[in-house]
């Protein structure tokens, strides 16, 4: 899959005096006093961008749905009074229009909007001719095409100041996380669009404050370009997402403790050592590929036997046996169960596909 986005046409726009770019502020703007107090406290900790939800996409009705249009001015003024930039989530053309009128500096598209090409296109059309920075959260479902599609719609509207925000993905089963991170998806986005900045939103991934430092550090370790974190001057009394909002002081100490790693090193000893280890890895990877090719030949041969003897491709007992024995052996040689399960499922899927081709004479 390739993207229409020309990486060199994206402008870099994340500026900060902190060790990484941070967008912080309440889940929702609640009152003039709340947003001013929060802005003042965040600015004392050098946070460059003040976020605030004006219209809240709540999962169930009957909860606080945001203060609405009158809050935009409060947010814009609170940010301005502290020399911060302001950021608001927009979900339709009217939101864009109201925010542009109030001089909001940065816009973001929420996870529930990214899933809808109609909604994203409406926002993109309303933004035409502005070149305001736009941050695009991942869609709630783990679909990278949908995420890229939304980014492309914004890019096609002439916006060059874009960033992606990774906020995790919905799931049916209850989990440690409010939204599971699925880190491989934002990493794949970075591979496909290397010049696109990507922020992590640990607040919506975690859903509660305890895991936020861990997820923030992990994002830094994975070379993310910044963080969007919910922060309220009085989290216990927040009208939305109160379990996941940090006080500005706690947020500041989290930032202080973040370790920012280098992407490269000039140290020749480190470089030599890395090269040596990578060469050894390359050799092993080619051996693994050759073994997979030999395995695939055997799978093909078995396919012919099954066909001649009119036997089904899928054999549930054999499959169950493979999973159990490989899991057991994997544990003995200290490989994670996650790796073994992913690997055997992938190999099995390929075997089914090889034998299907044999059966159908393809
Ligand atoms: C938010 O940032 O307040 C928000 C609603 O987030 P998301 O779109 O990630 O659910
Ligand atoms: Mn929120």
């Amino acid at each position: 899959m390739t993207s229409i986005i020309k990486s060199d046409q994206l402008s870099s726009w994340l500026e900060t005096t902190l060790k990484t770019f941070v967008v912080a502020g309440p889940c929702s703007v609640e009152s003039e006093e709340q947003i001013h107090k929060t802005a003042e406290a965040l600015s004392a900790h050098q946070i460059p961008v003040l976020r605030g939800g004006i219209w809240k996409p709540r999962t169930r009705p009957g909860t606080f749905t945001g203060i609405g249009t009158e809050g935009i001015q409060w947010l814009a003024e609170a940010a301005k009074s502290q020399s911060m930039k302001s950021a608001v989530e927009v979900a339709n053309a009217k939101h864009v229009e109201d925010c542009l009128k109030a001089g909001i500096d940065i816009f973001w598209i929420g996870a529930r909007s990214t899933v809808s090409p109609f909604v994203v296109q409406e926002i993109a059309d309303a933004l035409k001719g502005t070149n305001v920075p736009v941050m695009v959260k991942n869609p709630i479902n783990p679909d990278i095409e949908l995420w890229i599609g939304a980014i492309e719609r914004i890019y096609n509207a002439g916006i060059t100041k874009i960033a992606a925000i990774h906020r995790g993905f919905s799931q049916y089963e209850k989990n440690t996380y409010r939204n599971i991170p699925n880190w491989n998806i934002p990493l794949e986005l970075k591979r496909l669009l290397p010049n696109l900045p990507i922020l992590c939103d640990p607040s919506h991934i975690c859903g509660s404050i305890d895991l936020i430092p861990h997820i923030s550090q992990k994002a830094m370790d994975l070379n993310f370009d910044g963080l969007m974190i919910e922060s309220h001057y009085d989290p216990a009394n927040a009208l939305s997402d109160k379990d996941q909002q940090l006080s500005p002081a706690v947020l500041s100490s989290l930032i202080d403790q973040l370790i920012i790693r280098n992407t490269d090193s000039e140290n020749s000893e480190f470089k030599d050592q890395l090269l040596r280890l990578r060469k050894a890895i390359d050799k092993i990877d080619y051996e693994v590929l050759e073994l997979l090719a030999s395995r695939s030949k055997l799978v093909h041969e078995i396919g012919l036997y099954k066909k001649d003897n009119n036997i089904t491709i899928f054999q549930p007992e054999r499959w169950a046996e493979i999973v159990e024995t490989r899991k057991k052996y994997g544990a003995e040689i200290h490989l994670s169960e996650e790796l073994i399960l992913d690997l055997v499922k992938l190999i099995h899927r390929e075997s089914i596909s090889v034998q299907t081709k044999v059966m159908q004479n393809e």
Side-chain angles (χ1 to χ4, degrees), residues 54-55 69-80 86 88 94-105 107:
I54 298 291
W55 307 274
T69 314
E70 72 172 325
I72 312 175
Q73 207 58 50
W74 303 340
L75 176 79
E77 277 161 16
K80 210 172 206 166
S86 52
V88 169
K94 175 77 167 55
H95 295 168
V96 172
E97 207 179 288
D98 289 351
C99 287
L100 287 173
K101 220 179 282 166
I104 294 297
D105 302 294
F107 293 58

Side-chain angles (χ1 to χ4, degrees), residues 45-146:
H45 296 295
Q46 280 83 48
I47 305 292
V49 183
L50 179 68
R51 62 152 277 158
I54 298 291
W55 307 274
K56 297 306 297 178
R58 306 311 300 275
T59 303
R60 305 283 297 270
T63 48
F64 180 60
T65 53
I67 201 80
T69 314
E70 72 172 325
I72 312 175
Q73 207 58 50
W74 303 340
L75 176 79
E77 277 161 16
K80 210 172 206 166
S81 72
Q82 302 299 329
S83 306
M84 298 170 82
K85 299 253 193 257
S86 52
V88 169
E89 173 181 348
V90 288
N92 60 39
K94 175 77 167 55
H95 295 168
V96 172
E97 207 179 288
D98 289 351
C99 287
L100 287 173
K101 220 179 282 166
I104 294 297
D105 302 294
I106 300 167
F107 293 58
W108 89 80
I109 298 180
R112 291 165 191 77
S113 301
T114 307
V115 291
S116 166
F118 286 139
V119 169
V120 176
Q121 193 56 53
E122 177 179 330
I123 296 168
D125 290 342
L127 285 166
K128 262 186 197 145
T130 65
N131 209 11
V132 289
V134 180
M135 306 187 289
V136 183
K137 288 203 175 193
N138 64 257
I140 51 175
N141 51 329
D143 184 340
I144 192 169
E145 296 259 3
L146 210 44

Side-chain angles (χ1 to χ4, degrees), residues 24-43:
C27 177
S28 313
V29 173
E30 299 165 1
S31 68
E32 206 166 354
E33 186 195 12
Q34 171 244 14
I35 195 65
H36 274 272
K37 281 192 171 161
T38 305
E40 208 177 310
L42 289 171
S43 142

Side-chain angles (χ1 to χ4, degrees), residues 26-28 51 56 137 178 201 203-204 230 240-241 244-245:
C27 177
S28 313
R51 62 152 277 158
K56 297 306 297 178
K137 288 203 175 193
R178 179 176 173 190
D201 169 351
S203 310
H204 291 88
E230 288 189 341
S240 59
D241 283 353
Q244 69 187 34
Q245 303 208 55

